[in-house]
Amino acid sequence: HPRASSRDGDSSEGASGGRARDREEDVVLVETTRPDGTTARIVYSTTAPVDVYELEKLCDDVGWPRRPVSKVQAALENSFCVASLRLEIAETGGSGGGGGGGGGGMPGVSYADASTPEGTSRRLVGLARATSDHAFNATIWDVVVDTEFQGQGLGKALVEQMVRTLLARDIGNITLFADNKVVPFYRSLGFVSDPEGIKGMFLYP
């Protein structure tokens, strides 16, 4: 597995990282109105709870090996950041996606309403998580997108949004591990394999 790296830095999380986390908002990546009058949107969130059984169903869908549910739950709880993509389907009539609301919004994206209308169905369609020392470094793990939604740029959007989240939390060095077949994907996002000859080292006791 190559080690990929993005942006060296010597920052520390401190109070600024905590403040950034408090300001994180859900981001609407895609929004469409269906012929039946419902609105479907894909929402990126670092605050939405993730059901471990729904996550395992998603991992089954992409063919990942089964893992003990208790360990998956512990991994989620001990992660520095858990980012999810959710398909939300709701009746039209709400305020819906249109420009970012005030403050530190990202240009070119819209932000989800603070309250989601009753009757909205939600489905987990993507996830990534990161572990960190909460000061300098973070490593991204478990990037997964539902097979039904692959090939639409959602994996790219998920990783890009997570990198933005980590940088906003004052993390300056972001790494990940990638299978050979997805190395080109991560390179296209700016990650570098074996920077300056650095190699990932593994111990299998």
Side-chain angles (χ1 to χ4, degrees), residues 166-183:
L166 294 173
L167 294 176
R169 293 187 187 184
D170 212 11
I171 296 296
N173 191 58
I174 301 169
T175 60
L176 57 81
F177 297 93
D179 292 330
N180 282 332
K181 63 183 179 181
V182 294
V183 167

Side-chain angles (χ1 to χ4, degrees), residues 13-172:
E13 181 188 57
S16 62
R19 287 195 299 269
R21 195 179 313 197
D22 292 340
R23 292 195 304 267
E24 287 171 7
E25 299 182 74
D26 292 354
V27 179
V28 178
L29 300 177
V30 181
E31 182 165 346
T32 59
T33 300
R34 297 180 166 187
D36 62 0
T38 58
T39 298
R41 58 186 185 175
I42 302 292
V43 179
Y44 169 90
S45 178
T46 58
T47 59
V50 174
D51 181 271
V52 67
Y53 293 101
E54 192 176 11
L55 173 57
E56 283 302 276
K57 184 176 182 298
L58 177 59
C59 293
D60 286 345
D61 174 68
V62 300
W64 285 10
R66 272 293 180 105
R67 302 174 293 182
V69 171
S70 60
K71 287 197 170 186
V72 175
Q73 183 67 45
L76 293 173
E77 291 173 353
N78 290 295
S79 292
F80 176 66
C81 178
V82 177
S84 63
L85 296 182
R86 294 188 177 277
L87 170 66
E88 296 186 353
I89 300 177
E91 297 293 335
T92 55
S95 56
M106 301 298 299
V109 300
S110 57
Y111 289 81
D113 298 331
S115 59
T116 307
E118 289 186 14
T120 299
S121 65
R122 300 176 187 82
R123 171 183 160 197
L124 183 69
V125 297
L127 182 128
R129 66 184 185 90
T131 53
S132 177
D133 58 13
H134 293 232
F136 304 104
N137 308 291
T139 301
I140 297 174
W141 305 91
D142 296 341
V143 179
V144 59
V145 174
D146 192 314
T147 54
E148 182 182 340
F149 295 88
Q150 291 179 9
Q152 302 178 36
L154 291 179
K156 178 177 184 287
L158 172 59
V159 175
E160 287 179 336
Q161 290 291 338
M162 170 163 265
V163 168
R164 289 175 179 174
T165 297
L166 294 173
L167 294 176
R169 293 187 187 184
D170 212 11
I171 296 296

